Amino acid sequence: MGIAFSLGSISCGFADTSSVTKYRLLDFAIALPLFFLISLGIEVVFPHSLLFVGSLAIVSFALFMLAVLTPRLGAIGFAAILLAIYAMLLHLEGRPVWLIPMWLTGGAMWYIFWQALAITFLPNQESKDILSDLYQALAKKLMIHDQGFVFSTDKNQLFIQSAQLRSKIATLSHTLEYRIHQQFSCGEDSAKLQDIYRFLKIAEHINEQTRLMYFTSTPLLKQSCPQWLEHIHHADQQISQYLAQVSVNNVHHLALPNVDFEALRRYQVPAEAQQEAIAAQSFINKLDIIYLSLCELKNQSSTITNPTIVKPIVLTWKWRDIISKLTSQMTLKSSYFRHALRGTLSLTTGLIVVRLLDLDFGFWTLMTSLLILRPNLSMTWTRLLQRLTGTICGLIVVSGLLHFQVASSILPFIFCIAAVLFFHTSARHYGFAVFFVTLFVFAGFSLNGQGDNIMLPRLDNTVLGVIIPLIFVFILTPGWQKKSFPTQLSTTVKGYIDYLISFNLYLSNKDQKHTEKLQHHFQNCVVYDTNLFDHWMGYLGEPQRNSQTSEHILLCSRSSNIILRILTQINESKENIILNDEIEAELKSATHSLIQLQQLLQQTLNHTELFKHISKQEKFIYQSFTYIEDEIYRLDNNALIALLSKEIALFLKAIDHQPQ
């Protein structure tokens, strides 16, 4: 019964995705009867193999497709499938058919009880945890940009490390913003929630500043000003350490570091190193802006006027609309349909194999397949490796516990601690979550007297469970990253075009409407550039990859990021830029080059041709990097716009694969 309660709680945890109390209650009201009916159906059809396979295929496909209606219903559908597999694991002949469903549903109710206590006594705790993770990621990113003061840095490696954290920061920021906006839109407002929102906005401002803090010291500067560079490095480390500790609860008790920025700026740099010191001075200025932002954190929360509210996706209960929405997705062009089809085939194939081979604890195969399956090959492959690594490490610890014959009185503590750590890591570090759930399973089965029997079945079924979905992801449009990269590049270029057009309009008429529109386009550029780098990360996660293709995707990502950094600096100074004939001509030139580039990409989205022509210009593009990255810090706004036009023209020349 204890294991069933725990498994029911885990399933309910996967179904609990809303940040709004009334929507969470609605989700629980849907999940509880669904959990009971699904597990009851498993108990009824379990002895009848053909009926079992057929009903699993139909029901699992329907539950997967719930994601078409709303993300929350998709989470409930996923949790219901997981609960069905748990019911298979717990099935025992001779028990009343209602017993396991009651225990599993009772476990879900137990989860709801503890969540109700958490909401009452620790309101917004999940949002606070995400915010803490966000500030820690910002601290790491700031430390990476600081490496140029101490170490000889590889610019490519610096870009990769920074972009990885940029991607993580974007994910955390968007997740937290969506949670807060859900609560605002539903009337759940409070001083603490306003404070969290204020912290989020400051974090986004700090992140934008770090985009302009790339610094690599030259040998001359290191030789001429070693103490100055050391002082800048020390200031950055102090601020980074403060950032890593920041939370809504402790900020008023946390002492701000004492940094004398005026002393850093007044340092006498030798005449021969003056030009090379410009980038370091720019770094100090950005660090000062970040420091001032951190000072704002200590201010008392003030009411936020007119926050941009994103209405939660709420299901309309008009059956005609629901049916229309579902039927419109019944095509292989739909990612929802492909994922549901892969999931259904994986689960039914796994069930057939388990029944034919009569595997011990065979339903772990289905659970593994469900948990590692993702919308494309790259994500599935990464999840597969994490699952295998977590399972093997967990089994190594289990073998140690068995060897030393851990006392039965300790097992309940292992069981509870592993369950808590699983919940804590499941959304952040899947490999760790698998490790803890392996210990959880061992402790649970050991309490039932079956601990000695789980090691080999656990490993065998994990291996089988990762192979089956991988096969179906390969068969059903795997979504190779290299093939879809030209499309993502085209989307990114379109974002830059929209921004430059909007920027030109803004310079002509600097009113509130054009300012908001410009900022919207700028945020889109940031998202598209991050997605471009994530494409490269996804390519690295695929089982078949070519080092040269990887370099070409990374090359485009770096070129895009340089364009974005120029736009960031221009966007920051937009109020001081006055439109004249020269600026307008440069903006039109840059926009025209981008339009040409987008047309070229749309004419031939063949990845082979794209990478072949990039290969011919690879050395030329890399040569332009050093010049442009160094010049960003030296130029005024007008010269920056001219540099932007030049960089885009160089990028167009490299990507242009029309016959010469």
Side-chain angles (χ1 to χ4, degrees):
M1 179 178 175
I3 295 175
F5 256 59
S6 300
L7 295 177
S9 296
I10 289 173
S11 298
C12 197
F14 279 104
D16 183 18
T17 56
S18 180
S19 61
V20 181
T21 302
K22 70 176 183 180
Y23 288 145
R24 293 179 87 172
L25 294 175
L26 178 61
D27 291 349
F28 291 146
I30 295 171
L32 288 177
L34 181 61
F35 282 4
F36 182 80
L37 292 173
I38 289 290
S39 52
L40 182 64
I42 293 296
E43 290 292 298
V44 171
V45 303
F46 197 95
H48 313 288
S49 293
L50 289 178
L51 182 61
F52 195 0
V53 172
S55 59
L56 178 66
I58 294 170
V59 173
S60 62
F61 181 80
L63 291 172
F64 274 121
M65 288 299 289
L66 286 177
V68 172
L69 303 177
T70 72
R72 285 174 27 235
L73 277 180
I76 293 171
F78 176 87
I81 298 172
L82 183 62
L83 187 93
I85 298 171
Y86 288 154
M88 299 175 200
L89 284 166
L90 295 171
H91 177 81
L92 192 64
E93 293 296 335
R95 282 178 178 165
V97 293
W98 52 266
L99 189 60
I100 294 297
M102 285 293 292
W103 286 350
L104 289 169
T105 309
M109 295 175 70
W110 185 241
Y111 171 88
I112 294 170
F113 169 74
W114 284 104
Q115 281 299 308
L117 290 180
I119 292 170
T120 303
F121 296 105
L122 297 170
N124 299 310
Q125 186 58 46
E126 293 173 359
S127 293
K128 291 177 186 177
D129 291 341
I130 296 171
L131 189 66
S132 178
D133 290 344
L134 175 59
Y135 272 87
Q136 288 178 32
L138 282 171
K140 291 178 182 176
K141 190 169 189 287
L142 193 55
M143 286 184 194
I144 284 174
H145 289 299
D146 175 59
Q147 289 179 2
F149 290 95
V150 184
F151 309 107
S152 297
T153 54
D154 179 284
K155 287 192 175 183
N156 228 26
Q157 194 58 37
L158 177 62
F159 168 73
I160 292 169
Q161 292 174 339
S162 173
Q164 286 173 332
L165 284 167
R166 184 157 45 92
S167 180
K168 182 179 180 180
I169 289 167
T171 301
L172 291 168
S173 180
H174 294 160
T175 301
L176 182 56
E177 188 158 30
Y178 183 70
R179 289 178 62 86
I180 295 171
H181 284 170
Q182 270 195 339
Q183 291 173 274
F184 279 153
S185 66
C186 295
E188 289 191 8
D189 200 353
S190 66
K192 188 60 70 175
L193 188 62
Q194 292 273 353
D195 230 16
I196 293 172
Y197 186 74
R198 185 170 63 88
F199 272 55
L200 172 62
K201 292 291 115 183
I202 291 173
E204 290 176 350
H205 180 62
I206 291 171
N207 184 40
E208 188 168 309
Q209 295 303 313
T210 62
R211 196 180 303 130
L212 300 171
M213 295 179 73
Y214 285 84
F215 175 79
T216 304
S217 179
T218 63
L220 176 60
L221 199 59
K222 281 187 176 180
Q223 184 179 355
S224 305
C225 315
Q227 289 185 332
W228 186 47
L229 296 180
E230 180 58 37
H231 290 325
I232 300 172
H233 165 67
H234 182 63
D236 185 276
Q237 291 296 300
Q238 285 181 291
I239 293 173
S240 298
Q241 289 165 11
Y242 180 87
L243 262 175
Q245 300 174 63
V246 164
S247 72
V248 175
N249 295 332
N250 74 359
V251 70
H252 296 295
H253 313 291
L254 203 61
L256 269 166
N258 185 18
V259 181
D260 190 345
F261 287 99
E262 288 307 313
L264 290 176
R265 292 191 183 98
R266 286 197 305 266
Y267 187 89
Q268 294 299 313
V269 179
E272 65 272 14
Q274 287 285 346
Q275 283 297 313
E276 299 186 14
I278 292 175
Q281 291 283 0
S282 176
F283 190 97
I284 294 170
N285 293 337
K286 297 303 176 187
L287 203 57
D288 194 3
I289 293 172
I290 291 173
Y291 185 83
L292 292 173
S293 297
L294 293 177
C295 293
E296 291 179 27
L297 292 177
K298 289 183 176 290
N299 296 337
Q300 293 297 319
S301 177
S302 57
T303 303
I304 298 172
T305 56
N306 299 323
T308 305
I309 301 300
V310 179
K311 290 288 184 182
I313 302 172
V314 182
L315 175 65
T316 171
W317 290 103
K318 294 179 181 179
W319 290 106
R320 184 176 296 176
D321 292 342
I322 292 174
I323 293 170
S324 174
K325 203 169 184 180
L326 287 170
T327 53
S328 67
Q329 297 293 324
M330 294 296 180
T331 167
L332 277 175
K333 293 181 180 179
S334 165
S335 60
Y336 293 107
F337 180 80
R338 292 197 304 269
H339 185 64
L341 187 59
R342 291 177 190 133
T344 302
L345 290 172
S346 297
L347 294 178
T348 51
T349 302
L351 180 57
I352 292 168
V353 171
V354 167
R355 279 294 171 98
L356 287 177
L357 301 180
D358 193 24
L359 298 175
D360 292 332
F361 303 105
F363 297 110
W364 274 335
T365 298
L366 278 70
M367 183 173 62
T368 300
S369 295
L370 175 68
L371 292 172
I372 74 156
L373 184 65
R374 286 295 176 266
N376 61 48
L377 177 60
S378 170
M379 296 170 69
T380 302
W381 183 257
T382 301
R383 193 86 162 178
L384 176 157
L385 296 176
Q386 291 171 343
R387 181 81 185 186
L388 283 176
T389 303
T391 299
I392 292 170
C393 291
L395 290 177
I396 290 172
V397 174
V398 166
S399 64
L401 295 174
L402 288 172
H403 176 74
F404 292 106
Q405 297 181 339
V406 63
S408 58
S409 59
I410 298 177
L411 289 174
F413 293 99
I414 296 176
F415 183 83
C416 294
I417 292 170
V420 170
L421 290 173
F422 165 75
F423 275 114
H424 182 69
T425 57
S426 58
R428 303 175 183 179
H429 309 287
Y430 182 65
F432 287 107
V434 173
F435 171 79
F436 291 122
V437 85
T438 302
L439 297 184
F440 166 81
V441 169
F442 161 73
F445 278 89
S446 293
L447 290 169
N448 272 357
Q450 296 178 286
D452 295 342
N453 303 324
I454 72 161
M455 285 192 61
L456 283 178
R458 176 80 177 175
L459 184 59
D460 292 344
N461 290 302
T462 296
V463 172
L464 181 60
V466 299
I467 290 174
I468 292 173
L470 192 62
I471 291 171
F472 287 112
V473 172
F474 263 109
I475 294 173
L476 293 173
T477 55
W480 297 101
Q481 298 291 311
K482 63 182 178 183
K483 291 184 178 180
S484 56
F485 181 76
T487 302
Q488 182 60 57
L489 182 59
S490 178
T491 302
T492 306
V493 170
K494 176 65 165 60
Y496 293 147
I497 293 170
D498 291 341
Y499 176 83
L500 289 178
I501 292 172
S502 181
F503 186 71
N504 205 352
L505 291 172
Y506 165 81
L507 293 180
S508 302
N509 191 356
K510 295 183 178 181
D511 57 17
Q512 184 65 24
K513 178 184 174 182
H514 285 89
T515 302
E516 290 177 358
K517 190 174 181 181
L518 180 67
Q519 195 60 25
H520 171 72
H521 285 305
F522 178 71
Q523 292 302 327
N524 284 343
C525 289
V526 175
V527 171
Y528 296 147
D529 180 71
T530 303
N531 290 343
L532 202 64
F533 178 79
D534 287 345
H535 228 82
W536 178 73
M537 291 291 292
Y539 180 71
L540 293 185
E542 291 181 349
Q544 297 179 3
R545 57 181 182 270
N546 179 280
S547 60
Q548 192 174 33
T549 301
S550 171
E551 287 178 8
H552 293 158
I553 295 176
L554 182 62
L555 187 63
C556 290
S557 298
R558 278 197 67 187
S559 287
S560 169
N561 188 251
I562 287 176
I563 294 173
L564 179 64
R565 281 162 57 192
I566 296 173
L567 290 182
T568 300
Q569 194 140 320
I570 293 171
N571 192 69
E572 194 176 62
S573 309
K574 59 182 180 290
E575 294 180 4
N576 301 321
I577 300 176
I578 299 173
L579 187 64
N580 56 39
D581 292 342
E582 183 183 351
I583 288 178
E584 188 171 15
E586 294 290 2
L587 286 174
K588 286 183 177 179
S589 172
T591 306
H592 179 68
S593 294
L594 282 173
I595 291 171
Q596 283 185 293
L597 174 58
Q598 190 194 25
Q599 289 172 346
L600 290 171
L601 289 169
Q602 289 176 337
Q603 287 170 10
T604 169
L605 293 176
N606 184 315
H607 66 282
T608 306
E609 287 296 312
L610 173 65
F611 294 137
K612 182 169 46 174
H613 286 82
I614 290 176
S615 183
K616 293 178 182 177
Q617 300 288 345
E618 187 172 357
K619 192 175 293 186
F620 173 74
I621 299 172
Y622 271 117
Q623 285 174 350
S624 73
F625 276 152
T626 305
Y627 167 75
I628 292 167
E629 287 178 337
D630 290 343
E631 289 299 307
I632 287 176
Y633 304 103
R634 306 175 194 273
L635 304 177
D636 58 20
N637 294 325
N638 293 14
L640 267 176
I641 293 172
L643 179 62
L644 173 66
S645 178
K646 179 180 179 180
E647 164 62 5
I648 292 172
L650 289 171
F651 195 36
L652 172 64
K653 185 176 180 181
I655 304 299
D656 189 348
H657 41 271
Q658 293 293 307
Q660 300 298 317

